[in-house]
Amino acid sequence: MEDIEDLLVGNGGGGAPPGFRLPLNAVGLNPRKNNNKPKLTKLDHRLASKVPGSQTIYIKTFGCSHNQSDSEYMAGQLSAFGYALSDNPEEADLWLINTCTVKSPSQSAMDTLITKCKTAKKPLVVAGCVPQGSRDLKELEGVSIVGVQQIDRVVEVVEETLKGHEVRLLHRKTLPALDLPKVRKNKFVEIVPINVGCLGACTYCKTKHARGHLGSYTVDSLVSRVRTVIADGVKEIWLSSEDTGAYGRDIGVNLPTLLNALVAALPSDGSTMLRIGMTNPPFILQYLKEIAKFCVTHVYTPFFMYQSNLGAMNREYTVSDFRTVVDTLTALVPGMQIATDIICGFPGETDKDFAQTVSLIKEYKFSQVHISQFYPRPGTPAARMKKVPSNIVKNRSRELTSVFEAFTPYNGMESRVERIWITDIAADGMHLVGHTKGYIQVLVVAAESMLGASAIVKITAVGRWSVFGEVIETLSQIDEKAASNRRISSQVRCDPCSNQDDSCACSNDPHCGTCGPESCGGEIALEESRVSRIDKLLEDRSSRNLMGWLLRKRKNHVHKVENDIALGSMKKQECVGGSIGGWDVIDKALLGGMLFSFLTIVAVIIHLGYRTPPSK
């Protein structure tokens, strides 16, 4: 059990503990006295009579990866104190709802859940951005509240709530420690908040009201956290915040400085990868070459915001700035996949503004675009602006979605050999989920024992949201040193190019041709002879029997049903034309083949039994 002795420190504590930074302008209020405490009901008396830490807690999380990390920290502390965690709200003694204030639908979902909890007469604690940014909401009356910077006191709040008391903790001067106990949703994925709040003043953003001004954790504290989770077996580390690009500006450092320190702490075999969270262009324009260097080696695809009508949004950058970020990084990092967010129907958005957005999506063919309609959030400047008619907003959202779904970004990947990091089980229960260096989702049929492993796969088919691969071998089965030498040799021989149309910087090298994923960028390359050998082995193995052929046909058929198993940050879509798990012709043929083989074996055994001479 990890040390949580500082959990019960009151609000009167001094400054930030060593290694942590105070936010410049924390948002909150002092805990208010409640002179009208509700009387304990019979249910409350029953719960209060239990030994603290013996009850069961149900945790529901809305919102971003930062919120997910907060929930994992709260779950870790509750579990360390002895509380049981359950995914079933009906069997829980208390509900803990971690809320999101970005969009109206998520807050409406929170309202519905609060009503359901009150109807069930369950003790309730509400955490997250909604109570922190809108503390006087009617829905929060009579409910215990824990603020975004008070998550390290969740045990106190839960204990008092179980006793029938209403608790409100919304004000704090320090950031929660990074080394608190944690129960991860995925044990192979660690979400590390590198800072809270931001430097922006976007006219539509309610999150700033909750998370406040920028407050960064120190480089040393983040490196320490990364080393700890790597020792726990984590294979994917997400650097999360409201704006990762602004990291460190309040403490005199920057994102490249942090990345340099974190990469140095990663395993040399590349078994653990970093992923940069949402980044606004203004704060990384001057660091693009440094960011690209890390994306070539240890960092997954960055995530950027793009919006139309940027002036009214007060986004502090232009379309030209956005293009510069995308063009530079995709040129310096072959195979990079850029993800972005787009809001449709912001107040003042004209037909020309929207047409510019559509044109940009068509031009870049982003692999991930998170499209949402504008929702006015109470208390923001945008809520007072003249709204675009709702029917126009809906039509623009549909049109943009259709444009985005009209192209397949992974065409041409068939037969490519890629390294992937496997961290999850797909929603269909058949596939494991891995990601390439560019964070392309790869679905493979493999044993669950491969979770947490890195593997070399051959891409067999592509879909709209994912690609499908066949595992050639895990990296534990190949010579790690040889693979490392090949990567180093590739990087020395050919530095990333500044333009995809230019020849490589080392074009005088007879081994280096024009730029491409195989010639530049430090991708893990296998020698042509080895790839040919692997292809031959696959062909030999595939021609051995009918069962092998049916199995491969079953797997390659998956992309035809336009399945979308989108996990992590990808948007989940419903399958078109049927489910992967459905019984199609291939399934029936496969089952028939298995049944025929079984009956044949039984017949042979019976036949041999009759032919066996009786013993004397």
Side-chain angles (χ1 to χ4, degrees):
M1 183 181 298
E2 296 184 50
D3 183 13
I4 54 170
E5 63 182 6
D6 63 341
L7 206 70
L8 303 179
V9 176
N11 289 325
F20 302 98
R21 176 72 179 181
L22 304 182
L24 300 181
N25 185 22
V27 178
L29 58 89
N30 291 323
R32 67 188 186 191
K33 296 181 179 179
N34 184 2
N35 296 321
N36 298 312
K37 293 181 180 179
K39 295 181 179 180
L40 298 179
T41 63
K42 292 182 179 180
L43 174 64
D44 294 324
H45 279 300
R46 178 178 59 81
L47 291 173
S49 65
K50 287 189 176 183
V51 176
S54 63
Q55 294 89 348
T56 300
I57 311 296
Y58 165 70
I59 301 178
K60 174 66 176 178
T61 305
F62 295 95
C64 64
S65 62
H66 198 162
N67 261 23
Q68 181 62 49
S69 177
D70 286 350
S71 288
E72 291 175 354
Y73 272 124
M74 289 189 285
Q77 294 166 85
L78 291 167
S79 179
F81 197 75
Y83 289 101
L85 304 177
S86 174
D87 292 329
N88 184 358
E90 302 303 325
E91 69 180 21
D93 296 311
L94 176 142
W95 292 11
L96 171 59
I97 305 174
N98 195 2
T99 61
C100 173
T101 190
V102 171
K103 301 177 184 178
S104 299
S106 60
Q107 186 163 330
S108 296
M110 175 207 75
D111 295 342
T112 300
L113 201 58
I114 288 176
T115 300
K116 184 177 180 180
C117 185
K118 289 180 177 179
T119 301
K121 297 182 179 180
K122 300 273 189 179
L124 174 64
V125 175
V126 177
C129 292
V130 171
Q132 189 74 70
S134 304
R135 59 198 68 139
D136 295 325
L137 283 177
K138 182 179 180 180
E139 291 77 8
L140 299 178
E141 291 180 0
V143 172
S144 288
I145 290 173
V146 56
V148 295
Q149 292 186 43
Q150 295 278 13
I151 61 172
D152 57 351
R153 299 185 65 188
V154 67
V155 173
E156 292 176 77
V157 177
V158 165
E159 281 187 313
E160 292 301 318
T161 304
L162 286 169
K163 295 175 183 177
H165 303 155
E166 178 185 341
V167 182
R168 295 199 164 208
L169 295 180
L170 289 170
H171 181 67
R172 186 183 179 129
K173 296 180 180 179
T174 61
L175 301 182
L178 292 172
D179 59 354
L180 294 169
K182 198 172 194 182
V183 174
R184 301 183 193 91
K185 183 178 181 181
N186 183 328
K187 68 177 183 178
F188 299 110
V189 178
E190 167 74 6
I191 304 170
V192 179
I194 62 175
N195 53 265
V196 300
C198 67
L199 295 176
C202 300
T203 55
Y204 60 88
C205 182
K206 185 71 174 178
T207 305
K208 180 64 177 283
H209 295 188
R211 296 285 183 178
H213 202 64
L214 180 69
S216 302
Y217 287 96
T218 65
V219 172
D220 288 344
S221 63
L222 291 165
V223 169
S224 176
R225 180 63 185 174
V226 165
R227 285 175 175 161
T228 298
V229 301
I230 289 174
D232 288 342
V234 164
K235 301 300 180 183
E236 190 173 308
I237 298 172
W238 297 2
L239 305 183
S240 178
S241 77
E242 285 62 58
D243 183 1
T244 57
Y247 168 78
R249 289 185 173 235
D250 56 321
I251 57 175
V253 293
N254 54 44
L255 184 60
T257 300
L258 174 63
L259 290 177
N260 189 62
L262 294 182
V263 166
L266 297 179
S268 59
D269 61 2
S271 57
T272 302
M273 296 290 290
L274 295 176
R275 187 185 186 197
I276 301 176
M278 187 172 64
T279 301
N280 290 328
F283 300 116
I284 65 163
L285 280 169
Q286 68 189 97
Y287 304 127
L288 291 179
K289 290 185 178 179
E290 292 93 331
I291 297 293
K293 178 184 70 173
F294 295 113
C295 289
V296 166
T297 55
H298 291 86
V299 177
Y300 283 135
T301 299
F303 188 95
F304 302 105
M305 290 286 290
Y306 169 78
Q307 309 295 346
S308 60
N309 202 14
L310 294 167
M313 290 181 170
N314 196 28
R315 293 291 294 168
E316 299 180 333
Y317 65 92
T318 65
V319 175
S320 177
D321 291 335
F322 180 85
R323 288 180 175 273
T324 296
V325 171
V326 176
D327 291 342
T328 302
L329 289 177
T330 52
L332 293 176
V333 188
M336 171 174 278
Q337 305 289 316
I338 301 292
T340 191
D341 254 357
I342 293 179
I343 298 175
C344 287
F346 186 82
E349 182 185 68
T350 64
D351 290 339
K352 182 179 179 181
D353 293 330
F354 179 69
Q356 183 182 55
T357 299
V358 172
S359 177
L360 185 135
I361 297 300
K362 288 181 176 179
E363 177 183 351
Y364 285 105
K365 293 181 170 59
F366 298 110
S367 59
Q368 296 182 47
V369 179
H370 300 160
I371 302 168
S372 62
Q373 299 176 28
F374 169 74
Y375 295 100
R377 305 301 294 132
T380 63
R384 300 189 296 270
M385 298 179 181
K386 185 177 180 180
K387 299 177 180 60
V388 176
S390 60
N391 63 316
I392 295 178
V393 175
K394 291 179 181 178
N395 289 337
R396 288 176 179 174
S397 177
R398 293 192 190 103
E399 180 181 345
L400 194 59
T401 300
S402 297
V403 169
F404 168 60
E405 293 180 349
F407 56 85
T408 51
Y410 307 130
N411 278 347
M413 287 192 67
E414 295 93 335
S415 298
R416 279 176 53 178
V417 176
E418 296 277 351
R419 181 181 183 179
I420 65 170
W421 288 259
I422 302 172
T423 57
D424 213 337
I425 300 175
D428 67 347
M430 289 177 52
H431 296 81
L432 298 185
V433 180
H435 291 93
T436 67
K437 188 66 177 51
Y439 215 68
I440 297 172
Q441 184 172 257
V442 182
L443 304 179
V444 296
V445 176
E448 288 188 23
S449 58
M450 284 197 66
L451 284 171
S454 183
I456 302 297
V457 300
K458 183 176 181 180
I459 305 302
T460 57
V462 299
R464 177 59 185 84
W465 314 105
S466 311
V467 302
F468 302 88
E470 186 173 68
V471 176
I472 297 173
E473 50 193 339
T474 62
L475 288 187
S476 60
Q477 296 172 329
I478 69 173
D479 186 353
E480 286 279 5
K481 184 175 182 181
S484 178
N485 290 338
R486 284 194 297 273
R487 291 195 301 272
I488 295 172
S489 175
S490 174
Q491 293 171 9
V492 171
R493 184 170 71 245
C494 181
D495 291 330
C497 304
S498 59
N499 191 301
Q500 288 180 333
D501 296 325
D502 294 340
S503 59
C504 293
C506 53
S507 57
N508 57 343
D509 189 327
H511 298 287
C512 185
T514 56
C515 290
E518 289 75 32
S519 59
C520 285
E523 292 284 334
I524 299 176
L526 299 177
E527 298 92 333
E528 291 184 4
S529 60
R530 179 179 171 181
V531 174
S532 298
R533 175 177 62 82
I534 292 168
D535 288 341
K536 187 175 186 306
L537 288 173
L538 293 175
E539 291 174 4
D540 291 343
R541 184 177 62 190
S542 66
S543 61
R544 287 177 184 172
N545 52 54
L546 176 63
M547 292 296 292
W549 180 83
L550 286 171
L551 284 169
R552 282 193 318 285
K553 290 290 289 183
R554 172 69 176 89
K555 183 164 56 178
N556 291 339
H557 176 73
V558 172
H559 76 287
K560 294 180 181 179
V561 299
E562 194 63 21
N563 178 51
D564 162 28
I565 308 167
L567 300 173
S569 63
M570 295 183 65
K571 179 182 178 181
K572 292 186 177 180
Q573 304 270 349
E574 290 185 354
C575 296
V576 178
S579 168
I580 287 180
W583 288 93
D584 55 21
V585 175
I586 300 298
D587 291 313
K588 294 174 181 178
L590 180 58
L591 182 61
M594 294 172 64
L595 181 60
F596 176 78
S597 299
F598 174 75
L599 293 176
T600 301
I601 293 171
V602 172
V604 170
I605 292 174
I606 294 174
H607 178 69
L608 291 175
Y610 278 115
R611 292 187 60 184
T612 302
S615 58
K616 294 181 180 179

